[in-house]
Amino acid sequence: MSRIAYVNGQYVRHADAAVHVEDRGYQFADGVYEVCEVWQGRIVDMPRHFDRLDRSLGELRIDWPMARAAFEFVVRQVVRRNRVRNGLVYIQVTRGVSRRDHFFPPEEVAPSVVVTARSTSTEAANAQAAKGISVVSYPENRWPRVDIKTIALLPNVLAKQNAKENGGKEAWYVDTDGFVTEGGSTNAWIVTRDGTLVTRPAESGILRGITRTVILDLIQKEGLTFEERPFSLEEAYDAKEAFVTAATSIVMPVVQVDDRTIGNGHPGSVSTRLREVFHTATDFQMV
Ligand code: PDD
Protein backbone atom coordinates (compact mmCIF):
# COMPACT_ATOMS: atom_id res chain seq x y z
CA MET A 1 0.00 0.00 0.00
CA SER A 2 1.47 3.39 -0.93
CA ARG A 3 1.38 6.28 1.51
CA ILE A 4 -1.00 9.13 0.79
CA ALA A 5 -0.56 12.81 1.60
CA TYR A 6 -3.04 15.66 1.37
CA VAL A 7 -1.64 18.71 -0.42
CA ASN A 8 -3.74 21.76 -1.22
CA GLY A 9 -7.02 20.04 -1.95
CA GLN A 10 -5.76 16.74 -3.29
CA TYR A 11 -4.88 13.32 -1.94
CA VAL A 12 -1.66 12.34 -3.69
CA ARG A 13 0.93 9.61 -3.42
CA HIS A 14 3.35 10.56 -0.66
CA ALA A 15 6.26 10.10 -3.07
CA ASP A 16 4.73 12.70 -5.42
CA ALA A 17 3.59 15.17 -2.75
CA ALA A 18 5.10 18.61 -3.37
CA VAL A 19 4.59 22.32 -2.81
CA HIS A 20 5.68 25.21 -5.02
CA VAL A 21 9.25 26.55 -4.59
CA GLU A 22 7.81 29.94 -3.70
CA ASP A 23 5.65 28.61 -0.91
CA ARG A 24 6.23 30.98 1.99
CA GLY A 25 6.76 28.02 4.28
CA TYR A 26 9.71 26.97 2.14
CA GLN A 27 11.08 30.50 1.70
CA PHE A 28 10.42 32.06 5.11
CA ALA A 29 9.22 29.32 7.47
CA ASP A 30 6.03 31.40 7.35
CA GLY A 31 3.64 28.79 8.68
CA VAL A 32 2.38 26.74 11.59
CA TYR A 33 1.86 23.07 12.35
CA GLU A 34 0.35 20.50 14.67
CA VAL A 35 1.16 16.87 15.41
CA CYS A 36 -1.54 14.60 16.83
CA GLU A 37 -1.09 11.10 18.15
CA VAL A 38 -3.11 8.29 16.59
CA TRP A 39 -3.84 5.65 19.20
CA GLN A 40 -5.72 2.44 18.52
CA GLY A 41 -7.22 3.89 15.36
CA ARG A 42 -8.38 7.11 16.99
CA ILE A 43 -7.00 10.63 16.82
CA VAL A 44 -6.05 11.90 20.27
CA ASP A 45 -7.32 15.31 21.37
CA MET A 46 -7.92 16.70 17.88
CA PRO A 47 -10.19 19.54 19.17
CA ARG A 48 -7.41 20.79 21.46
CA HIS A 49 -4.88 20.63 18.62
CA PHE A 50 -7.26 22.54 16.35
CA ASP A 51 -7.83 25.15 19.07
CA ARG A 52 -4.07 25.67 19.29
CA LEU A 53 -3.82 25.75 15.49
CA ASP A 54 -6.47 28.47 15.51
CA ARG A 55 -4.41 30.46 18.02
CA SER A 56 -1.15 30.01 16.06
CA LEU A 57 -2.83 31.06 12.79
CA GLY A 58 -4.39 34.07 14.50
CA GLU A 59 -1.09 35.21 16.03
CA LEU A 60 0.52 35.15 12.56
CA ARG A 61 -2.56 36.51 10.76
CA ILE A 62 -2.79 33.51 8.44
CA ASP A 63 -6.35 32.64 7.34
CA TRP A 64 -7.91 29.27 8.01
CA PRO A 65 -7.45 27.34 4.74
CA MET A 66 -10.96 25.85 4.98
CA ALA A 67 -13.76 25.47 7.50
CA ARG A 68 -12.66 23.69 10.65
CA ALA A 69 -15.06 20.77 10.17
CA ALA A 70 -13.75 20.24 6.63
CA PHE A 71 -10.17 20.38 7.87
CA GLU A 72 -10.91 17.81 10.59
CA PHE A 73 -12.46 15.60 7.91
CA VAL A 74 -9.25 15.83 5.83
CA VAL A 75 -7.13 14.89 8.84
CA ARG A 76 -9.31 11.84 9.52
CA GLN A 77 -9.18 10.89 5.83
CA VAL A 78 -5.38 10.99 5.76
CA VAL A 79 -5.18 8.75 8.83
CA ARG A 80 -7.73 6.39 7.30
CA ARG A 81 -6.18 6.29 3.82
CA ASN A 82 -2.79 5.45 5.34
CA ARG A 83 -4.39 2.80 7.57
CA VAL A 84 -2.63 4.20 10.61
CA ARG A 85 -3.74 2.54 13.85
CA ASN A 86 -0.90 3.75 16.00
CA GLY A 87 1.20 6.65 14.81
CA LEU A 88 1.14 10.35 14.09
CA VAL A 89 -0.70 12.77 11.87
CA TYR A 90 1.09 15.96 10.83
CA ILE A 91 -0.79 19.13 9.84
CA GLN A 92 0.89 22.18 8.31
CA VAL A 93 -0.53 25.49 7.10
CA THR A 94 1.58 28.22 5.50
CA ARG A 95 0.75 31.69 4.23
CA GLY A 96 0.70 30.29 0.70
CA VAL A 97 2.55 30.79 -2.57
CA SER A 98 3.62 34.24 -3.66
CA ARG A 99 6.58 35.95 -5.37
CA ARG A 100 9.42 36.08 -2.85
CA ASP A 101 9.02 39.25 -0.81
CA HIS A 102 9.19 39.58 2.97
CA PHE A 103 5.95 41.57 3.12
CA PHE A 104 2.70 39.61 3.31
CA PRO A 105 1.40 38.83 -0.22
CA PRO A 106 -0.24 41.95 -1.68
CA GLU A 107 -3.34 40.12 -2.90
CA GLU A 108 -5.47 37.36 -1.44
CA VAL A 109 -3.40 34.18 -1.47
CA ALA A 110 -4.80 30.84 -0.36
CA PRO A 111 -2.90 29.32 2.56
CA SER A 112 -1.11 26.06 1.71
CA VAL A 113 -2.10 22.90 3.53
CA VAL A 114 -0.20 19.66 3.94
CA VAL A 115 -1.39 16.68 5.99
CA THR A 116 0.62 13.47 6.31
CA ALA A 117 0.33 10.44 8.57
CA ARG A 118 2.57 7.56 9.46
CA SER A 119 2.55 4.51 11.65
CA THR A 120 4.92 4.17 14.57
CA SER A 121 5.89 1.14 16.62
CA THR A 122 4.16 1.01 20.01
CA GLU A 123 6.56 -1.78 21.03
CA ALA A 124 9.63 0.31 20.23
CA ALA A 125 8.20 3.32 22.10
CA ASN A 126 7.34 1.21 25.14
CA ALA A 127 10.80 -0.39 25.09
CA GLN A 128 12.34 3.09 25.03
CA ALA A 129 10.10 4.21 27.88
CA ALA A 130 11.08 1.16 29.93
CA LYS A 131 14.72 2.23 29.65
CA GLY A 132 14.24 6.00 29.76
CA ILE A 133 16.19 8.58 27.77
CA SER A 134 19.10 10.96 28.30
CA VAL A 135 18.72 14.68 27.71
CA VAL A 136 21.43 17.24 27.02
CA SER A 137 21.09 20.85 28.16
CA TYR A 138 21.45 23.62 25.61
CA PRO A 139 21.35 27.44 25.89
CA GLU A 140 17.96 28.85 24.81
CA ASN A 141 18.42 29.92 21.19
CA ARG A 142 14.86 30.69 20.08
CA TRP A 143 12.74 33.81 19.61
CA PRO A 144 10.47 34.78 22.53
CA ARG A 145 7.26 33.69 20.73
CA VAL A 146 7.73 29.98 21.37
CA ASP A 147 4.05 29.91 22.37
CA ILE A 148 3.25 29.90 18.63
CA LYS A 149 3.72 26.50 17.03
CA THR A 150 5.57 27.73 13.95
CA ILE A 151 7.44 25.60 11.44
CA ALA A 152 10.56 27.76 12.05
CA LEU A 153 12.37 24.98 13.89
CA LEU A 154 16.01 25.57 12.97
CA PRO A 155 17.00 26.42 16.58
CA ASN A 156 15.28 23.23 17.75
CA VAL A 157 17.03 21.22 15.03
CA LEU A 158 20.42 22.51 16.21
CA ALA A 159 19.66 21.86 19.88
CA LYS A 160 18.40 18.34 19.22
CA GLN A 161 21.29 17.48 16.91
CA ASN A 162 23.69 18.60 19.64
CA ALA A 163 21.86 16.30 22.06
CA LYS A 164 22.15 13.40 19.64
CA GLU A 165 25.86 13.97 19.09
CA ASN A 166 26.29 13.87 22.87
CA GLY A 167 24.41 10.64 23.41
CA GLY A 168 20.98 12.17 24.20
CA LYS A 169 17.53 11.76 22.69
CA GLU A 170 16.31 15.25 23.59
CA ALA A 171 17.69 18.73 24.31
CA TRP A 172 16.65 20.69 27.39
CA TYR A 173 16.70 24.42 26.83
CA VAL A 174 18.14 26.49 29.67
CA ASP A 175 17.40 30.23 29.85
CA THR A 176 19.86 32.94 30.91
CA ASP A 177 18.73 32.59 34.56
CA GLY A 178 19.65 28.90 34.61
CA PHE A 179 16.06 27.65 34.41
CA VAL A 180 14.98 24.84 32.14
CA THR A 181 12.36 26.09 29.69
CA GLU A 182 11.39 22.96 27.73
CA GLY A 183 12.70 20.31 25.39
CA GLY A 184 13.57 20.77 21.72
CA SER A 185 10.22 19.19 20.84
CA THR A 186 8.74 18.33 24.26
CA ASN A 187 7.74 19.89 27.59
CA ALA A 188 10.03 19.22 30.55
CA TRP A 189 9.04 17.92 34.01
CA ILE A 190 10.73 16.84 37.22
CA VAL A 191 9.59 15.08 40.38
CA THR A 192 11.40 16.48 43.42
CA ARG A 193 12.79 14.32 46.21
CA ASP A 194 9.64 15.00 48.27
CA GLY A 195 7.47 13.75 45.39
CA THR A 196 6.24 17.08 43.98
CA LEU A 197 5.73 17.28 40.23
CA VAL A 198 7.13 20.49 38.77
CA THR A 199 6.77 22.03 35.33
CA ARG A 200 7.24 25.55 34.04
CA PRO A 201 4.17 27.79 33.66
CA ALA A 202 3.06 28.19 30.05
CA GLU A 203 2.96 31.98 30.30
CA SER A 204 6.52 32.36 28.99
CA GLY A 205 9.34 30.35 27.51
CA ILE A 206 7.41 27.28 26.42
CA LEU A 207 4.79 25.93 24.07
CA ARG A 208 1.59 25.08 25.92
CA GLY A 209 1.72 21.37 25.10
CA ILE A 210 -1.52 19.47 24.67
CA THR A 211 0.09 16.46 26.36
CA ARG A 212 1.13 18.78 29.20
CA THR A 213 -2.51 19.87 29.61
CA VAL A 214 -3.65 16.24 29.78
CA ILE A 215 -1.02 15.54 32.44
CA LEU A 216 -2.30 18.51 34.47
CA ASP A 217 -5.77 16.90 34.41
CA LEU A 218 -4.29 13.55 35.44
CA ILE A 219 -2.39 15.13 38.33
CA GLN A 220 -5.72 16.42 39.65
CA LYS A 221 -7.42 13.07 39.15
CA GLU A 222 -4.63 11.12 40.81
CA GLY A 223 -4.33 13.64 43.66
CA LEU A 224 -0.60 14.21 43.08
CA THR A 225 1.33 17.14 44.54
CA PHE A 226 2.15 19.68 41.88
CA GLU A 227 3.84 23.05 41.52
CA GLU A 228 3.76 25.08 38.33
CA ARG A 229 7.00 27.03 38.54
CA PRO A 230 10.35 27.27 36.76
CA PHE A 231 12.99 24.75 37.87
CA SER A 232 16.72 25.14 37.43
CA LEU A 233 19.10 22.73 35.73
CA GLU A 234 20.71 22.14 39.15
CA GLU A 235 17.33 21.19 40.61
CA ALA A 236 16.79 18.80 37.71
CA TYR A 237 20.17 17.13 38.34
CA ASP A 238 19.02 16.50 41.90
CA ALA A 239 15.47 15.37 41.09
CA LYS A 240 14.00 12.00 41.99
CA GLU A 241 12.49 11.65 38.52
CA ALA A 242 12.29 13.57 35.28
CA PHE A 243 10.29 13.12 32.12
CA VAL A 244 9.24 14.84 28.89
CA THR A 245 5.82 15.06 27.27
CA ALA A 246 4.67 15.49 23.66
CA ALA A 247 2.19 13.98 21.22
CA THR A 248 5.10 12.04 19.72
CA SER A 249 6.25 10.41 22.95
CA ILE A 250 3.37 10.85 25.48
CA VAL A 251 5.26 10.53 28.77
CA MET A 252 8.90 9.61 28.27
CA PRO A 253 10.99 9.07 31.41
CA VAL A 254 14.36 10.85 31.58
CA VAL A 255 17.09 8.93 33.43
CA GLN A 256 20.04 11.18 32.69
CA VAL A 257 20.51 14.96 32.29
CA ASP A 258 23.94 15.85 30.91
CA ASP A 259 26.37 13.62 32.82
CA ARG A 260 24.13 13.33 35.89
CA THR A 261 22.05 10.23 36.63
CA ILE A 262 18.48 11.04 37.71
CA GLY A 263 17.20 9.10 40.72
CA ASN A 264 18.43 5.53 40.57
CA GLY A 265 18.97 5.68 36.81
CA HIS A 266 15.69 3.90 36.02
CA PRO A 267 12.30 5.36 35.01
CA GLY A 268 10.53 6.58 38.14
CA SER A 269 7.18 5.34 39.44
CA VAL A 270 5.34 8.65 38.86
CA SER A 271 6.47 8.93 35.22
CA THR A 272 5.68 5.28 34.60
CA ARG A 273 2.22 5.59 36.16
CA LEU A 274 1.39 8.74 34.16
CA ARG A 275 2.42 7.00 30.96
CA GLU A 276 0.26 3.97 31.80
CA VAL A 277 -2.89 5.94 32.55
CA PHE A 278 -2.36 8.70 29.97
CA HIS A 279 -5.12 7.67 27.57
CA THR A 280 -7.72 7.56 30.33
CA ALA A 281 -7.62 11.37 30.32
CA THR A 282 -7.61 12.10 26.58
CA ASP A 283 -10.39 12.79 24.15
CA PHE A 284 -10.71 10.70 20.97
CA GLN A 285 -11.91 11.27 17.42
CA MET A 286 -12.76 8.19 15.37
CA VAL A 287 -11.17 8.25 11.93
N1 PDD B 1 6.39 18.99 19.28
N2 PDD B 1 7.40 22.04 23.17
C1 PDD B 1 7.84 22.06 21.89
C2 PDD B 1 8.94 23.00 21.53
C3 PDD B 1 7.27 21.20 20.95
O1 PDD B 1 7.71 21.23 19.68
C4 PDD B 1 6.26 20.30 21.34
C5 PDD B 1 5.60 19.37 20.37
C6 PDD B 1 5.84 20.31 22.67
C7 PDD B 1 4.75 19.40 23.19
O2 PDD B 1 3.49 19.74 22.66
P1 PDD B 1 2.34 18.64 22.50
O3 PDD B 1 2.18 18.00 23.83
O4 PDD B 1 1.14 19.43 22.11
O5 PDD B 1 2.81 17.68 21.45
C8 PDD B 1 6.42 21.20 23.55
C9 PDD B 1 5.85 18.22 18.20
C10 PDD B 1 5.25 16.95 18.64
C11 PDD B 1 6.92 18.07 17.14
O6 PDD B 1 7.51 19.08 16.78
O7 PDD B 1 7.16 16.96 16.65
mmCIF file of all heavy atoms in Angstrom, residues 38 46 49 55 67 103 105 110 124 129 134 145 191 196 204 224 227 232 239 251 259 271:
data_model
loop_
_atom_site.group_PDB
_atom_site.id
_atom_site.type_symbol
_atom_site.label_atom_id
_atom_site.label_comp_id
_atom_site.label_asym_id
_atom_site.label_seq_id
_atom_site.Cartn_x
_atom_site.Cartn_y
_atom_site.Cartn_z
ATOM 1 N N VAL A 38 -2.037 9.226 16.946
ATOM 2 C CA VAL A 38 -3.112 8.295 16.590
ATOM 3 C C VAL A 38 -2.920 7.069 17.474
ATOM 4 O O VAL A 38 -1.826 6.497 17.507
ATOM 5 C CB VAL A 38 -3.056 7.893 15.103
ATOM 6 C CG1 VAL A 38 -4.221 6.965 14.758
ATOM 7 C CG2 VAL A 38 -3.052 9.119 14.208
ATOM 8 N N MET A 46 -7.923 15.846 19.077
ATOM 9 C CA MET A 46 -7.924 16.701 17.882
ATOM 10 C C MET A 46 -8.535 18.088 18.160
ATOM 11 O O MET A 46 -7.997 19.095 17.686
ATOM 12 C CB MET A 46 -8.621 16.008 16.712
ATOM 13 C CG MET A 46 -8.483 16.806 15.426
ATOM 14 S SD MET A 46 -8.589 15.849 13.920
ATOM 15 C CE MET A 46 -10.224 15.219 13.964
ATOM 16 N N HIS A 49 -5.907 20.282 19.610
ATOM 17 C CA HIS A 49 -4.883 20.631 18.623
ATOM 18 C C HIS A 49 -5.418 21.678 17.643
ATOM 19 O O HIS A 49 -4.690 22.586 17.251
ATOM 20 C CB HIS A 49 -4.394 19.381 17.882
ATOM 21 C CG HIS A 49 -3.448 18.543 18.691
ATOM 22 N ND1 HIS A 49 -2.103 18.826 18.790
ATOM 23 C CD2 HIS A 49 -3.663 17.466 19.479
ATOM 24 C CE1 HIS A 49 -1.522 17.933 19.589
ATOM 25 N NE2 HIS A 49 -2.450 17.099 20.017
ATOM 26 N N ARG A 55 -5.159 29.399 17.331
ATOM 27 C CA ARG A 55 -4.411 30.457 18.017
ATOM 28 C C ARG A 55 -3.133 30.805 17.239
ATOM 29 O O ARG A 55 -2.827 31.979 17.020
ATOM 30 C CB ARG A 55 -4.073 29.996 19.433
ATOM 31 C CG ARG A 55 -3.316 31.030 20.207
ATOM 32 C CD ARG A 55 -3.081 30.643 21.657
ATOM 33 N NE ARG A 55 -2.360 31.705 22.318
ATOM 34 C CZ ARG A 55 -1.048 31.891 22.227
ATOM 35 N NH1 ARG A 55 -0.309 31.071 21.514
ATOM 36 N NH2 ARG A 55 -0.472 32.906 22.844
ATOM 37 N N ALA A 67 -12.994 25.527 6.250
ATOM 38 C CA ALA A 67 -13.757 25.471 7.498
ATOM 39 C C ALA A 67 -13.167 24.392 8.404
ATOM 40 O O ALA A 67 -12.637 23.386 7.928
ATOM 41 C CB ALA A 67 -15.213 25.150 7.195
ATOM 42 N N PHE A 103 7.278 41.090 2.749
ATOM 43 C CA PHE A 103 5.946 41.569 3.120
ATOM 44 C C PHE A 103 4.909 40.479 2.858
ATOM 45 O O PHE A 103 5.103 39.623 1.997
ATOM 46 C CB PHE A 103 5.578 42.821 2.311
ATOM 47 C CG PHE A 103 6.560 43.942 2.508
ATOM 48 C CD1 PHE A 103 7.382 44.351 1.475
ATOM 49 C CD2 PHE A 103 6.669 44.584 3.740
ATOM 50 C CE1 PHE A 103 8.298 45.383 1.661
ATOM 51 C CE2 PHE A 103 7.588 45.608 3.929
ATOM 52 C CZ PHE A 103 8.397 46.003 2.891
ATOM 53 N N PRO A 105 1.808 38.715 1.199
ATOM 54 C CA PRO A 105 1.402 38.834 -0.216
ATOM 55 C C PRO A 105 0.431 39.992 -0.406
ATOM 56 O O PRO A 105 -0.453 40.202 0.437
ATOM 57 C CB PRO A 105 0.718 37.495 -0.491
ATOM 58 C CG PRO A 105 1.293 36.561 0.509
ATOM 59 C CD PRO A 105 1.582 37.372 1.735
ATOM 60 N N ALA A 110 -4.269 31.943 -1.174
ATOM 61 C CA ALA A 110 -4.800 30.838 -0.361
ATOM 62 C C ALA A 110 -3.670 30.235 0.467
ATOM 63 O O ALA A 110 -2.587 29.975 -0.052
ATOM 64 C CB ALA A 110 -5.403 29.778 -1.272
ATOM 65 N N ALA A 124 8.352 -0.410 20.140
ATOM 66 C CA ALA A 124 9.633 0.307 20.233
ATOM 67 C C ALA A 124 9.530 1.463 21.230
ATOM 68 O O ALA A 124 10.438 1.699 22.034
ATOM 69 C CB ALA A 124 10.046 0.819 18.858
ATOM 70 N N ALA A 129 10.608 3.668 26.620
ATOM 71 C CA ALA A 129 10.097 4.207 27.883
ATOM 72 C C ALA A 129 10.522 3.349 29.072
ATOM 73 O O ALA A 129 10.711 3.856 30.178
ATOM 74 C CB ALA A 129 8.580 4.327 27.823
ATOM 75 N N SER A 134 18.204 9.912 27.803
ATOM 76 C CA SER A 134 19.104 10.958 28.298
ATOM 77 C C SER A 134 18.759 12.269 27.603
ATOM 78 O O SER A 134 18.393 12.266 26.424
ATOM 79 C CB SER A 134 20.552 10.621 27.935
ATOM 80 O OG SER A 134 20.932 9.433 28.541
ATOM 81 N N ARG A 145 8.636 34.126 20.999
ATOM 82 C CA ARG A 145 7.263 33.689 20.731
ATOM 83 C C ARG A 145 7.164 32.177 20.543
ATOM 84 O O ARG A 145 6.555 31.695 19.584
ATOM 85 C CB ARG A 145 6.701 34.441 19.517
ATOM 86 C CG ARG A 145 6.529 35.925 19.760
ATOM 87 C CD ARG A 145 5.695 36.261 21.012
ATOM 88 N NE ARG A 145 4.412 35.581 21.097
ATOM 89 C CZ ARG A 145 3.291 36.014 20.506
ATOM 90 N NH1 ARG A 145 3.298 37.120 19.790
ATOM 91 N NH2 ARG A 145 2.163 35.345 20.645
ATOM 92 N N VAL A 191 10.228 15.437 39.108
ATOM 93 C CA VAL A 191 9.585 15.080 40.380
ATOM 94 C C VAL A 191 10.663 15.291 41.439
ATOM 95 O O VAL A 191 11.737 14.686 41.350
ATOM 96 C CB VAL A 191 9.099 13.619 40.390
ATOM 97 C CG1 VAL A 191 8.392 13.297 41.704
ATOM 98 C CG2 VAL A 191 8.181 13.335 39.200
ATOM 99 N N THR A 196 7.046 16.041 44.640
ATOM 100 C CA THR A 196 6.242 17.080 43.978
ATOM 101 C C THR A 196 6.583 17.151 42.488
ATOM 102 O O THR A 196 7.755 17.255 42.113
ATOM 103 C CB THR A 196 6.530 18.465 44.623
ATOM 104 O OG1 THR A 196 6.298 18.358 46.027
ATOM 105 C CG2 THR A 196 5.654 19.550 44.018
ATOM 106 N N SER A 204 5.349 31.916 29.757
ATOM 107 C CA SER A 204 6.517 32.362 28.986
ATOM 108 C C SER A 204 7.516 31.229 28.832
ATOM 109 O O SER A 204 7.647 30.374 29.703
ATOM 110 C CB SER A 204 7.204 33.541 29.686
ATOM 111 O OG SER A 204 7.948 33.070 30.789
ATOM 112 N N LEU A 224 -2.051 14.060 42.890
ATOM 113 C CA LEU A 224 -0.599 14.207 43.075
ATOM 114 C C LEU A 224 -0.253 15.642 43.477
ATOM 115 O O LEU A 224 -1.003 16.578 43.181
ATOM 116 C CB LEU A 224 0.125 13.838 41.771
ATOM 117 C CG LEU A 224 -0.097 12.399 41.295
ATOM 118 C CD1 LEU A 224 0.398 12.203 39.871
ATOM 119 C CD2 LEU A 224 0.604 11.422 42.232
ATOM 120 N N GLU A 227 3.533 21.609 41.515
ATOM 121 C CA GLU A 227 3.843 23.046 41.517
ATOM 122 C C GLU A 227 4.153 23.474 40.090
ATOM 123 O O GLU A 227 5.003 22.866 39.440
ATOM 124 C CB GLU A 227 5.083 23.333 42.390
ATOM 125 C CG GLU A 227 4.803 23.329 43.875
ATOM 126 C CD GLU A 227 6.087 23.491 44.693
ATOM 127 O OE1 GLU A 227 7.150 23.860 44.133
ATOM 128 O OE2 GLU A 227 6.018 23.222 45.900
ATOM 129 N N SER A 232 15.380 24.924 37.990
ATOM 130 C CA SER A 232 16.720 25.137 37.427
ATOM 131 C C SER A 232 17.319 23.810 36.957
ATOM 132 O O SER A 232 16.849 22.725 37.339
ATOM 133 C CB SER A 232 17.628 25.781 38.468
ATOM 134 O OG SER A 232 17.865 24.838 39.498
ATOM 135 N N ALA A 239 16.854 15.837 40.988
ATOM 136 C CA ALA A 239 15.466 15.373 41.091
ATOM 137 C C ALA A 239 15.390 13.858 41.306
ATOM 138 O O ALA A 239 16.326 13.118 40.998
ATOM 139 C CB ALA A 239 14.711 15.753 39.823
ATOM 140 N N VAL A 251 4.409 10.267 27.615
ATOM 141 C CA VAL A 251 5.261 10.534 28.774
ATOM 142 C C VAL A 251 6.522 9.688 28.601
ATOM 143 O O VAL A 251 6.429 8.463 28.568
ATOM 144 C CB VAL A 251 4.548 10.145 30.089
ATOM 145 C CG1 VAL A 251 5.472 10.378 31.281
ATOM 146 C CG2 VAL A 251 3.247 10.924 30.243
ATOM 147 N N ASP A 259 25.663 14.818 32.320
ATOM 148 C CA ASP A 259 26.365 13.620 32.818
ATOM 149 C C ASP A 259 25.853 13.179 34.187
ATOM 150 O O ASP A 259 26.499 12.410 34.885
ATOM 151 C CB ASP A 259 27.883 13.868 32.856
ATOM 152 C CG ASP A 259 28.226 15.093 33.683
ATOM 153 O OD1 ASP A 259 27.289 15.750 34.203
ATOM 154 O OD2 ASP A 259 29.421 15.408 33.808
ATOM 155 N N SER A 271 6.438 8.852 36.691
ATOM 156 C CA SER A 271 6.472 8.930 35.224
ATOM 157 C C SER A 271 5.830 7.689 34.608
ATOM 158 O O SER A 271 5.038 7.776 33.664
ATOM 159 C CB SER A 271 7.908 9.023 34.706
ATOM 160 O OG SER A 271 8.748 9.694 35.588
#
